[in-house]
Amino acid sequence: MIKAAILGYGTVGSGVFNVIKSNSRLVNERAGQEIEIKYVLDLRDFPGDPVEKVLTHDFEDIIGDPEVKIVIEVMGGINPAFDFTKRCLEEGMNVCTSNKELVAEHGLELMKTARENDVNYFFEASCGGGIPIIRALNDCLTADDIDEITGILNGTTNFILTEMAEKGTGFGKVLKQAQANGFAERDPSADIDAFDPARKLAILASIVFGSSVDYRDIYTEGIRHITAEDIKYASTLGYAVKLLAEAKRTEDGVRAYVAPFLVDPSHPLYPINGVMNAVYVHGNMLGDAVFTGAGAGSLPTASAVVADVIGAARHDGKRAYCGWKHDEKLALASNDSVKRKYLVRILTEDEGNANRVFSPEGFLDTISIGELEDEIAFITPELSEEEFNTKAKAFGKVISRIRFY
């Protein structure tokens, strides 16, 4: 028997408790031994809940118990999760977490602490909820040299963009709907400003490319500015607007960004709608692979956490492989020279100026939508980020622009 403790009894923590209890036979069989939840830490009381029998309000009960070999950190945030996690690792306890913010901020330090104490730090549920992407990268794709990883890594923004496309509803109204449905927080900035997928991309890129990627170095652009009109133009062209997070090896180094893109129907991420997440991986031997599943929610996330708990039980007393192994930080290459086309919206009266600035050697093909009488859109020739920004500044009256993927 191996004994475990859960830190936090919120949405994910209660899900973990239920998965281990409900699927105990399968969990124990696959772990190779019985897993018993000895403690659940939370500041609150839960009258009538089965968790009452193992509930504690004092972290010292856990850290001072030598029987506890696995700690499941599902508190969220940095404090006190960081201090609790580090102390557990220093005491020789394996730690499993769903805390993407903590992993993105302190993952390298915590993995180093785990190595020094001959234990493991598992974080499958920190990226893509229930999608087993980290385990795939660390265990299943180790024979491949991965040169690109691209994902829809935030269910809230994917839900918003899907609803806008299917119902023609404006951003603000759909955001309120997402909040009412529990898909978005009261303060949705981590999702709609893309900080959440940037953190997840940093974790995945650190595993794929070995060295640590700082999420603050990733170009990050959210969907707050996307309008119903942008979606209409995209639909007219047969494209979908998706918030993509990509890290890719190039001749100049690894480039990374998170931004809304126009995605072609032939791309495997095009049909990923609603709150679903997906991760596209390209390896030099495998070629293309896509991992799809629920990106959030109590039970999908808990499923990924419990899979890590099983992994920790299997690896009790020995280290598991993790591709994120170097102590140095990875310096990301600039995106300025990346060339792509752009969909640009302008006032109809500025079409002549747009031709002069964006296509001096010929006329731009324009797109119009009947109800938008005062404006048109056009697709630029392939331009680097730097070239486009220079031209847009010279033009001066761009309503909006979205990159083609």
Side-chain angles (χ1 to χ4, degrees), residues 198-242:
R199 290 187 177 102
K200 294 172 181 175
L201 180 64
I203 295 167
L204 293 174
S206 298
I207 295 169
V208 168
F209 301 111
S211 300
S212 188
V213 174
D214 190 330
Y215 70 92
R216 287 169 286 247
D217 294 339
I218 298 173
Y219 174 83
T220 303
E221 178 185 323
I223 67 165
R224 193 186 288 268
H225 65 283
I226 299 294
T227 66
E229 290 74 25
D230 291 321
I231 301 291
K232 286 177 183 176
Y233 281 111
S235 298
T236 298
L237 293 168
Y239 284 73
V241 179
K242 302 289 185 184

mmCIF file of all heavy atoms in Angstrom, residues 198-242:
data_model
loop_
_atom_site.group_PDB
_atom_site.id
_atom_site.type_symbol
_atom_site.label_atom_id
_atom_site.label_comp_id
_atom_site.label_asym_id
_atom_site.label_seq_id
_atom_site.Cartn_x
_atom_site.Cartn_y
_atom_site.Cartn_z
ATOM 1 N N ALA A 198 -0.259 30.611 -22.980
ATOM 2 C CA ALA A 198 1.178 30.912 -23.053
ATOM 3 C C ALA A 198 1.941 30.105 -22.011
ATOM 4 O O ALA A 198 3.037 29.585 -22.280
ATOM 5 C CB ALA A 198 1.413 32.406 -22.861
ATOM 6 N N ARG A 199 1.374 30.001 -20.806
ATOM 7 C CA ARG A 199 2.027 29.191 -19.761
ATOM 8 C C ARG A 199 2.084 27.721 -20.176
ATOM 9 O O ARG A 199 3.108 27.047 -19.995
ATOM 10 C CB ARG A 199 1.266 29.336 -18.440
ATOM 11 C CG ARG A 199 1.407 30.702 -17.785
ATOM 12 C CD ARG A 199 0.771 30.701 -16.395
ATOM 13 N NE ARG A 199 0.955 31.982 -15.729
ATOM 14 C CZ ARG A 199 0.019 32.924 -15.628
ATOM 15 N NH1 ARG A 199 -1.187 32.706 -16.152
ATOM 16 N NH2 ARG A 199 0.262 34.052 -15.006
ATOM 17 N N LYS A 200 0.984 27.225 -20.731
ATOM 18 C CA LYS A 200 0.953 25.824 -21.157
ATOM 19 C C LYS A 200 1.948 25.569 -22.286
ATOM 20 O O LYS A 200 2.629 24.541 -22.310
ATOM 21 C CB LYS A 200 -0.460 25.449 -21.597
ATOM 22 C CG LYS A 200 -1.477 25.467 -20.472
ATOM 23 C CD LYS A 200 -2.901 25.279 -20.988
ATOM 24 C CE LYS A 200 -3.921 25.308 -19.872
ATOM 25 N NZ LYS A 200 -5.311 25.239 -20.368
ATOM 26 N N LEU A 201 2.035 26.513 -23.228
ATOM 27 C CA LEU A 201 2.997 26.364 -24.322
ATOM 28 C C LEU A 201 4.421 26.358 -23.792
ATOM 29 O O LEU A 201 5.269 25.586 -24.271
ATOM 30 C CB LEU A 201 2.816 27.491 -25.341
ATOM 31 C CG LEU A 201 3.777 27.449 -26.534
ATOM 32 C CD1 LEU A 201 3.550 26.191 -27.377
ATOM 33 C CD2 LEU A 201 3.633 28.695 -27.398
ATOM 34 N N ALA A 202 4.708 27.204 -22.814
ATOM 35 C CA ALA A 202 6.053 27.242 -22.239
ATOM 36 C C ALA A 202 6.425 25.885 -21.637
ATOM 37 O O ALA A 202 7.558 25.412 -21.795
ATOM 38 C CB ALA A 202 6.135 28.339 -21.179
ATOM 39 N N ILE A 203 5.461 25.247 -20.964
ATOM 40 C CA ILE A 203 5.727 23.938 -20.372
ATOM 41 C C ILE A 203 5.984 22.907 -21.462
ATOM 42 O O ILE A 203 6.973 22.148 -21.411
ATOM 43 C CB ILE A 203 4.531 23.506 -19.494
ATOM 44 C CG1 ILE A 203 4.377 24.452 -18.297
ATOM 45 C CG2 ILE A 203 4.710 22.062 -19.012
ATOM 46 C CD1 ILE A 203 3.053 24.306 -17.562
ATOM 47 N N LEU A 204 5.122 22.862 -22.473
ATOM 48 C CA LEU A 204 5.280 21.885 -23.553
ATOM 49 C C LEU A 204 6.576 22.112 -24.326
ATOM 50 O O LEU A 204 7.285 21.161 -24.666
ATOM 51 C CB LEU A 204 4.083 21.952 -24.501
ATOM 52 C CG LEU A 204 2.741 21.509 -23.915
ATOM 53 C CD1 LEU A 204 1.614 21.761 -24.913
ATOM 54 C CD2 LEU A 204 2.780 20.041 -23.516
ATOM 55 N N ALA A 205 6.895 23.378 -24.605
ATOM 56 C CA ALA A 205 8.115 23.681 -25.351
ATOM 57 C C ALA A 205 9.355 23.318 -24.543
ATOM 58 O O ALA A 205 10.367 22.873 -25.102
ATOM 59 C CB ALA A 205 8.147 25.168 -25.724
ATOM 60 N N SER A 206 9.298 23.481 -23.234
ATOM 61 C CA SER A 206 10.430 23.100 -22.387
ATOM 62 C C SER A 206 10.692 21.600 -22.460
ATOM 63 O O SER A 206 11.847 21.152 -22.457
ATOM 64 C CB SER A 206 10.160 23.508 -20.929
ATOM 65 O OG SER A 206 10.028 24.910 -20.804
ATOM 66 N N ILE A 207 9.620 20.816 -22.540
ATOM 67 C CA ILE A 207 9.765 19.361 -22.664
ATOM 68 C C ILE A 207 10.279 18.983 -24.045
ATOM 69 O O ILE A 207 11.201 18.171 -24.190
ATOM 70 C CB ILE A 207 8.416 18.673 -22.393
ATOM 71 C CG1 ILE A 207 7.991 18.890 -20.936
ATOM 72 C CG2 ILE A 207 8.483 17.178 -22.704
ATOM 73 C CD1 ILE A 207 6.579 18.481 -20.646
ATOM 74 N N VAL A 208 9.705 19.603 -25.087
ATOM 75 C CA VAL A 208 10.067 19.249 -26.462
ATOM 76 C C VAL A 208 11.507 19.647 -26.784
ATOM 77 O O VAL A 208 12.253 18.878 -27.404
ATOM 78 C CB VAL A 208 9.096 19.929 -27.456
ATOM 79 C CG1 VAL A 208 9.616 19.832 -28.879
ATOM 80 C CG2 VAL A 208 7.718 19.285 -27.352
ATOM 81 N N PHE A 209 11.909 20.846 -26.349
ATOM 82 C CA PHE A 209 13.219 21.355 -26.749
ATOM 83 C C PHE A 209 14.272 21.262 -25.654
ATOM 84 O O PHE A 209 15.404 21.702 -25.844
ATOM 85 C CB PHE A 209 13.079 22.799 -27.244
ATOM 86 C CG PHE A 209 12.141 22.924 -28.416
ATOM 87 C CD1 PHE A 209 10.922 23.564 -28.296
ATOM 88 C CD2 PHE A 209 12.473 22.350 -29.641
ATOM 89 C CE1 PHE A 209 10.050 23.655 -29.371
ATOM 90 C CE2 PHE A 209 11.608 22.430 -30.717
ATOM 91 C CZ PHE A 209 10.397 23.085 -30.592
ATOM 92 N N GLY A 210 13.890 20.687 -24.493
ATOM 93 C CA GLY A 210 14.882 20.376 -23.468
ATOM 94 C C GLY A 210 15.151 21.494 -22.493
ATOM 95 O O GLY A 210 15.096 21.285 -21.290
ATOM 96 N N SER A 211 15.441 22.676 -22.980
ATOM 97 C CA SER A 211 15.768 23.801 -22.106
ATOM 98 C C SER A 211 14.510 24.552 -21.690
ATOM 99 O O SER A 211 13.478 24.482 -22.344
ATOM 100 C CB SER A 211 16.732 24.754 -22.826
ATOM 101 O OG SER A 211 17.921 24.090 -23.183
ATOM 102 N N SER A 212 14.637 25.315 -20.614
ATOM 103 C CA SER A 212 13.473 25.967 -20.028
ATOM 104 C C SER A 212 13.019 27.177 -20.839
ATOM 105 O O SER A 212 13.816 28.056 -21.166
ATOM 106 C CB SER A 212 13.816 26.412 -18.601
ATOM 107 O OG SER A 212 12.682 26.873 -17.936
ATOM 108 N N VAL A 213 11.742 27.222 -21.161
ATOM 109 C CA VAL A 213 11.146 28.354 -21.875
ATOM 110 C C VAL A 213 10.348 29.188 -20.877
ATOM 111 O O VAL A 213 9.501 28.661 -20.157
ATOM 112 C CB VAL A 213 10.225 27.877 -23.012
ATOM 113 C CG1 VAL A 213 9.502 29.056 -23.655
ATOM 114 C CG2 VAL A 213 11.034 27.113 -24.061
ATOM 115 N N ASP A 214 10.629 30.478 -20.851
ATOM 116 C CA ASP A 214 9.915 31.403 -19.973
ATOM 117 C C ASP A 214 8.682 31.910 -20.715
ATOM 118 O O ASP A 214 8.801 32.481 -21.804
ATOM 119 C CB ASP A 214 10.828 32.575 -19.602
ATOM 120 C CG ASP A 214 10.242 33.459 -18.505
ATOM 121 O OD1 ASP A 214 8.993 33.567 -18.424
ATOM 122 O OD2 ASP A 214 11.019 34.057 -17.750
ATOM 123 N N TYR A 215 7.501 31.708 -20.135
ATOM 124 C CA TYR A 215 6.273 32.122 -20.818
ATOM 125 C C TYR A 215 6.238 33.621 -21.080
ATOM 126 O O TYR A 215 5.578 34.085 -22.014
ATOM 127 C CB TYR A 215 5.042 31.686 -20.022
ATOM 128 C CG TYR A 215 4.818 32.424 -18.720
ATOM 129 C CD1 TYR A 215 4.028 33.566 -18.665
ATOM 130 C CD2 TYR A 215 5.390 31.967 -17.529
ATOM 131 C CE1 TYR A 215 3.821 34.239 -17.478
ATOM 132 C CE2 TYR A 215 5.187 32.640 -16.343
ATOM 133 C CZ TYR A 215 4.405 33.773 -16.315
ATOM 134 O OH TYR A 215 4.201 34.442 -15.128
ATOM 135 N N ARG A 216 6.967 34.394 -20.288
ATOM 136 C CA ARG A 216 6.999 35.850 -20.499
ATOM 137 C C ARG A 216 7.738 36.241 -21.764
ATOM 138 O O ARG A 216 7.597 37.363 -22.252
ATOM 139 C CB ARG A 216 7.622 36.534 -19.278
ATOM 140 C CG ARG A 216 6.722 36.567 -18.052
ATOM 141 C CD ARG A 216 7.494 36.998 -16.829
ATOM 142 N NE ARG A 216 8.367 35.925 -16.376
ATOM 143 C CZ ARG A 216 8.208 35.274 -15.236
ATOM 144 N NH1 ARG A 216 7.198 35.576 -14.443
ATOM 145 N NH2 ARG A 216 9.031 34.310 -14.898
ATOM 146 N N ASP A 217 8.548 35.322 -22.302
ATOM 147 C CA ASP A 217 9.286 35.594 -23.544
ATOM 148 C C ASP A 217 8.471 35.270 -24.789
ATOM 149 O O ASP A 217 8.910 35.549 -25.903
ATOM 150 C CB ASP A 217 10.587 34.787 -23.575
ATOM 151 C CG ASP A 217 11.575 35.227 -22.498
ATOM 152 O OD1 ASP A 217 11.443 36.370 -22.013
ATOM 153 O OD2 ASP A 217 12.461 34.427 -22.142
ATOM 154 N N ILE A 218 7.314 34.637 -24.614
ATOM 155 C CA ILE A 218 6.495 34.223 -25.749
ATOM 156 C C ILE A 218 5.608 35.375 -26.201
ATOM 157 O O ILE A 218 4.921 35.999 -25.374
ATOM 158 C CB ILE A 218 5.624 33.008 -25.374
ATOM 159 C CG1 ILE A 218 6.515 31.811 -25.014
ATOM 160 C CG2 ILE A 218 4.672 32.640 -26.508
ATOM 161 C CD1 ILE A 218 5.744 30.620 -24.465
ATOM 162 N N TYR A 219 5.618 35.674 -27.503
ATOM 163 C CA TYR A 219 4.703 36.689 -28.028
ATOM 164 C C TYR A 219 3.278 36.218 -27.759
ATOM 165 O O TYR A 219 2.889 35.122 -28.156
ATOM 166 C CB TYR A 219 4.905 36.889 -29.528
ATOM 167 C CG TYR A 219 3.867 37.820 -30.125
ATOM 168 C CD1 TYR A 219 4.025 39.195 -30.049
ATOM 169 C CD2 TYR A 219 2.706 37.313 -30.715
ATOM 170 C CE1 TYR A 219 3.057 40.054 -30.558
ATOM 171 C CE2 TYR A 219 1.733 38.154 -31.227
ATOM 172 C CZ TYR A 219 1.917 39.521 -31.145
ATOM 173 O OH TYR A 219 0.945 40.365 -31.645
ATOM 174 N N THR A 220 2.495 37.050 -27.079
ATOM 175 C CA THR A 220 1.168 36.636 -26.637
ATOM 176 C C THR A 220 0.125 37.681 -27.007
ATOM 177 O O THR A 220 0.240 38.846 -26.637
ATOM 178 C CB THR A 220 1.157 36.414 -25.107
ATOM 179 O OG1 THR A 220 2.146 35.437 -24.771
ATOM 180 C CG2 THR A 220 -0.194 35.921 -24.640
ATOM 181 N N GLU A 221 -0.880 37.232 -27.753
ATOM 182 C CA GLU A 221 -1.978 38.095 -28.183
ATOM 183 C C GLU A 221 -3.276 37.323 -27.999
ATOM 184 O O GLU A 221 -3.419 36.225 -28.516
ATOM 185 C CB GLU A 221 -1.783 38.479 -29.659
ATOM 186 C CG GLU A 221 -2.871 39.334 -30.247
ATOM 187 C CD GLU A 221 -2.645 39.567 -31.732
ATOM 188 O OE1 GLU A 221 -1.483 39.724 -32.160
ATOM 189 O OE2 GLU A 221 -3.641 39.580 -32.477
ATOM 190 N N GLY A 222 -4.199 37.883 -27.250
ATOM 191 C CA GLY A 222 -5.432 37.181 -26.948
ATOM 192 C C GLY A 222 -6.533 37.455 -27.962
ATOM 193 O O GLY A 222 -6.278 37.907 -29.085
ATOM 194 N N ILE A 223 -7.776 37.199 -27.550
ATOM 195 C CA ILE A 223 -8.915 37.323 -28.473
ATOM 196 C C ILE A 223 -9.846 38.466 -28.103
ATOM 197 O O ILE A 223 -10.917 38.612 -28.684
ATOM 198 C CB ILE A 223 -9.719 36.015 -28.547
ATOM 199 C CG1 ILE A 223 -10.412 35.731 -27.200
ATOM 200 C CG2 ILE A 223 -8.834 34.844 -28.963
ATOM 201 C CD1 ILE A 223 -11.495 34.679 -27.290
ATOM 202 N N ARG A 224 -9.437 39.292 -27.149
ATOM 203 C CA ARG A 224 -10.300 40.371 -26.669
ATOM 204 C C ARG A 224 -10.746 41.288 -27.807
ATOM 205 O O ARG A 224 -11.837 41.859 -27.771
ATOM 206 C CB ARG A 224 -9.548 41.171 -25.603
ATOM 207 C CG ARG A 224 -10.404 42.111 -24.790
ATOM 208 C CD ARG A 224 -9.532 42.954 -23.870
ATOM 209 N NE ARG A 224 -8.983 42.181 -22.777
ATOM 210 C CZ ARG A 224 -9.558 42.057 -21.582
ATOM 211 N NH1 ARG A 224 -10.726 42.643 -21.353
ATOM 212 N NH2 ARG A 224 -8.977 41.361 -20.614
ATOM 213 N N HIS A 225 -9.888 41.432 -28.833
ATOM 214 C CA HIS A 225 -10.172 42.365 -29.940
ATOM 215 C C HIS A 225 -10.936 41.710 -31.093
ATOM 216 O O HIS A 225 -11.316 42.401 -32.045
ATOM 217 C CB HIS A 225 -8.869 42.949 -30.474
ATOM 218 C CG HIS A 225 -7.980 41.909 -31.098
ATOM 219 N ND1 HIS A 225 -7.234 41.036 -30.335
ATOM 220 C CD2 HIS A 225 -7.734 41.585 -32.388
ATOM 221 C CE1 HIS A 225 -6.552 40.233 -31.141
ATOM 222 N NE2 HIS A 225 -6.845 40.538 -32.387
ATOM 223 N N ILE A 226 -11.153 40.406 -31.050
ATOM 224 C CA ILE A 226 -11.840 39.720 -32.152
ATOM 225 C C ILE A 226 -13.341 40.070 -32.116
ATOM 226 O O ILE A 226 -13.980 39.973 -31.075
ATOM 227 C CB ILE A 226 -11.658 38.194 -32.058
ATOM 228 C CG1 ILE A 226 -10.174 37.823 -32.156
ATOM 229 C CG2 ILE A 226 -12.460 37.485 -33.142
ATOM 230 C CD1 ILE A 226 -9.547 38.119 -33.503
ATOM 231 N N THR A 227 -13.875 40.462 -33.259
ATOM 232 C CA THR A 227 -15.281 40.879 -33.322
ATOM 233 C C THR A 227 -16.099 39.917 -34.179
ATOM 234 O O THR A 227 -15.554 39.093 -34.920
ATOM 235 C CB THR A 227 -15.397 42.292 -33.920
ATOM 236 O OG1 THR A 227 -14.975 42.246 -35.296
ATOM 237 C CG2 THR A 227 -14.539 43.291 -33.157
ATOM 238 N N ALA A 228 -17.419 40.100 -34.105
ATOM 239 C CA ALA A 228 -18.308 39.300 -34.946
ATOM 240 C C ALA A 228 -18.030 39.545 -36.419
ATOM 241 O O ALA A 228 -18.155 38.638 -37.250
ATOM 242 C CB ALA A 228 -19.769 39.641 -34.618
ATOM 243 N N GLU A 229 -17.609 40.772 -36.745
ATOM 244 C CA GLU A 229 -17.286 41.107 -38.135
ATOM 245 C C GLU A 229 -16.051 40.343 -38.612
ATOM 246 O O GLU A 229 -16.008 39.856 -39.751
ATOM 247 C CB GLU A 229 -17.074 42.614 -38.282
ATOM 248 C CG GLU A 229 -18.334 43.457 -38.134
ATOM 249 C CD GLU A 229 -18.821 43.560 -36.700
ATOM 250 O OE1 GLU A 229 -17.994 43.401 -35.762
ATOM 251 O OE2 GLU A 229 -20.028 43.792 -36.502
ATOM 252 N N ASP A 230 -15.051 40.217 -37.741
ATOM 253 C CA ASP A 230 -13.857 39.431 -38.099
ATOM 254 C C ASP A 230 -14.255 37.996 -38.427
ATOM 255 O O ASP A 230 -13.762 37.396 -39.395
ATOM 256 C CB ASP A 230 -12.859 39.420 -36.925
ATOM 257 C CG ASP A 230 -12.220 40.772 -36.677
ATOM 258 O OD1 ASP A 230 -11.908 41.476 -37.651
ATOM 259 O OD2 ASP A 230 -12.046 41.124 -35.494
ATOM 260 N N ILE A 231 -15.132 37.440 -37.604
ATOM 261 C CA ILE A 231 -15.572 36.062 -37.797
ATOM 262 C C ILE A 231 -16.335 35.919 -39.110
ATOM 263 O O ILE A 231 -16.186 34.919 -39.831
ATOM 264 C CB ILE A 231 -16.462 35.607 -36.621
ATOM 265 C CG1 ILE A 231 -15.706 35.702 -35.286
ATOM 266 C CG2 ILE A 231 -16.985 34.209 -36.850
ATOM 267 C CD1 ILE A 231 -14.592 34.716 -35.101
ATOM 268 N N LYS A 232 -17.146 36.923 -39.461
ATOM 269 C CA LYS A 232 -17.902 36.875 -40.718
ATOM 270 C C LYS A 232 -16.969 36.859 -41.920
ATOM 271 O O LYS A 232 -17.173 36.110 -42.877
ATOM 272 C CB LYS A 232 -18.849 38.072 -40.804
ATOM 273 C CG LYS A 232 -20.062 37.967 -39.896
ATOM 274 C CD LYS A 232 -20.934 39.204 -39.972
ATOM 275 C CE LYS A 232 -22.098 39.120 -38.996
ATOM 276 N NZ LYS A 232 -22.903 40.366 -39.005
ATOM 277 N N TYR A 233 -15.947 37.693 -41.907
ATOM 278 C CA TYR A 233 -14.977 37.686 -43.008
ATOM 279 C C TYR A 233 -14.282 36.330 -43.105
ATOM 280 O O TYR A 233 -14.102 35.788 -44.200
ATOM 281 C CB TYR A 233 -13.933 38.781 -42.814
ATOM 282 C CG TYR A 233 -14.399 40.163 -43.212
ATOM 283 C CD1 TYR A 233 -14.618 41.148 -42.259
ATOM 284 C CD2 TYR A 233 -14.619 40.493 -44.556
ATOM 285 C CE1 TYR A 233 -15.043 42.422 -42.618
ATOM 286 C CE2 TYR A 233 -15.031 41.768 -44.926
ATOM 287 C CZ TYR A 233 -15.251 42.718 -43.957
ATOM 288 O OH TYR A 233 -15.661 43.975 -44.322
ATOM 289 N N ALA A 234 -13.882 35.774 -41.951
ATOM 290 C CA ALA A 234 -13.221 34.468 -41.942
ATOM 291 C C ALA A 234 -14.136 33.401 -42.538
ATOM 292 O O ALA A 234 -13.702 32.586 -43.370
ATOM 293 C CB ALA A 234 -12.820 34.097 -40.522
ATOM 294 N N SER A 235 -15.409 33.410 -42.118
ATOM 295 C CA SER A 235 -16.365 32.420 -42.622
ATOM 296 C C SER A 235 -16.587 32.571 -44.119
ATOM 297 O O SER A 235 -16.722 31.572 -44.841
ATOM 298 C CB SER A 235 -17.696 32.566 -41.882
ATOM 299 O OG SER A 235 -17.539 32.319 -40.506
ATOM 300 N N THR A 236 -16.623 33.809 -44.592
ATOM 301 C CA THR A 236 -16.785 34.059 -46.030
ATOM 302 C C THR A 236 -15.655 33.426 -46.827
ATOM 303 O O THR A 236 -15.855 32.911 -47.934
ATOM 304 C CB THR A 236 -16.830 35.582 -46.297
ATOM 305 O OG1 THR A 236 -17.953 36.135 -45.617
ATOM 306 C CG2 THR A 236 -16.940 35.881 -47.777
ATOM 307 N N LEU A 237 -14.469 33.438 -46.250
ATOM 308 C CA LEU A 237 -13.303 32.844 -46.906
ATOM 309 C C LEU A 237 -13.205 31.338 -46.684
ATOM 310 O O LEU A 237 -12.346 30.675 -47.274
ATOM 311 C CB LEU A 237 -12.020 33.512 -46.387
ATOM 312 C CG LEU A 237 -11.832 34.985 -46.761
ATOM 313 C CD1 LEU A 237 -10.679 35.594 -45.950
ATOM 314 C CD2 LEU A 237 -11.547 35.117 -48.254
ATOM 315 N N GLY A 238 -14.054 30.798 -45.796
ATOM 316 C CA GLY A 238 -14.007 29.365 -45.507
ATOM 317 C C GLY A 238 -13.013 28.998 -44.430
ATOM 318 O O GLY A 238 -12.656 27.820 -44.286
ATOM 319 N N TYR A 239 -12.592 29.976 -43.638
ATOM 320 C CA TYR A 239 -11.605 29.737 -42.574
ATOM 321 C C TYR A 239 -12.277 29.826 -41.203
ATOM 322 O O TYR A 239 -13.361 30.379 -41.058
ATOM 323 C CB TYR A 239 -10.480 30.767 -42.643
ATOM 324 C CG TYR A 239 -9.483 30.532 -43.756
ATOM 325 C CD1 TYR A 239 -9.823 30.775 -45.086
ATOM 326 C CD2 TYR A 239 -8.202 30.076 -43.492
ATOM 327 C CE1 TYR A 239 -8.909 30.561 -46.116
ATOM 328 C CE2 TYR A 239 -7.280 29.869 -44.506
ATOM 329 C CZ TYR A 239 -7.645 30.107 -45.816
ATOM 330 O OH TYR A 239 -6.736 29.901 -46.825
ATOM 331 N N ALA A 240 -11.599 29.292 -40.206
ATOM 332 C CA ALA A 240 -12.023 29.423 -38.812
ATOM 333 C C ALA A 240 -10.985 30.233 -38.057
ATOM 334 O O ALA A 240 -9.776 30.116 -38.325
ATOM 335 C CB ALA A 240 -12.185 28.050 -38.165
ATOM 336 N N VAL A 241 -11.438 31.051 -37.114
ATOM 337 C CA VAL A 241 -10.507 31.787 -36.256
ATOM 338 C C VAL A 241 -10.247 30.932 -35.015
ATOM 339 O O VAL A 241 -11.185 30.552 -34.312
ATOM 340 C CB VAL A 241 -11.073 33.157 -35.845
ATOM 341 C CG1 VAL A 241 -10.086 33.885 -34.931
ATOM 342 C CG2 VAL A 241 -11.376 34.005 -37.075
ATOM 343 N N LYS A 242 -8.978 30.612 -34.768
ATOM 344 C CA LYS A 242 -8.588 29.803 -33.618
ATOM 345 C C LYS A 242 -7.454 30.495 -32.869
ATOM 346 O O LYS A 242 -6.568 31.092 -33.493
ATOM 347 C CB LYS A 242 -8.090 28.415 -34.061
ATOM 348 C CG LYS A 242 -9.090 27.591 -34.856
ATOM 349 C CD LYS A 242 -10.241 27.094 -34.008
ATOM 350 C CE LYS A 242 -11.167 26.171 -34.781
ATOM 351 N NZ LYS A 242 -12.343 25.768 -33.959
#
